[in-house]
Amino acid sequence: MTPDELVEEFTASLPYQLDDFQREAIQALAKGHSVLVAAPTGTGKTVIGEFGIFMARKHRQRAFYTTPIKALSNQKFRDFRARWGDAEVGLLTGDVVVNRDAPCSS
């Protein structure tokens, strides 16, 4: 699958249009580049991380989504399980380990 095809498949699954900075970041990731996104809270940085997970799943690789606080890790754990299923998602925090060998862990 080409980088453009990856981006198009991912964006087609979203119920909204991406902003320019989001599309630019995921296109760079799809081409194998590292990306650093700095934007205010609530502006849509998470979708870029979700694209990274989508890409890892397409390539049958593991992905780890990290957060600065446990409550956010727990929320993403629930979100990702709802999207990809319980068997596909794990949670690794300082005191909790759930499905440690899952393809995606928060």
Side-chain angles (χ1 to χ4, degrees), residues 10-91:
F10 177 75
T11 57
S13 73
L14 300 174
Y16 51 85
Q17 296 290 320
L18 294 177
D19 287 338
D20 291 342
F21 85 91
Q22 293 166 318
R23 182 170 286 279
E24 183 179 335
I26 68 172
Q27 285 172 334
L29 285 173
K31 293 176 182 173
H33 299 288
S34 296
V35 173
L36 174 65
V37 178
T41 299
T43 57
K45 296 180 298 292
T46 298
V47 73
I48 299 160
E50 290 176 354
F51 175 74
I53 295 168
F54 170 83
M55 201 168 69
R57 291 174 53 83
K58 282 293 186 179
H59 291 105
R60 299 181 191 268
Q61 297 174 331
R62 292 187 74 192
F64 292 87
Y65 186 93
T66 62
T67 68
I69 57 174
K70 186 176 177 183
L72 186 52
S73 291
N74 291 335
Q75 179 62 49
K76 295 316 292 180
F77 174 64
R78 288 188 297 273
D79 293 348
F80 293 160
R81 285 179 96 175
R83 184 170 186 177
W84 294 305
D86 294 353
E88 296 295 308
V89 180
L91 177 66

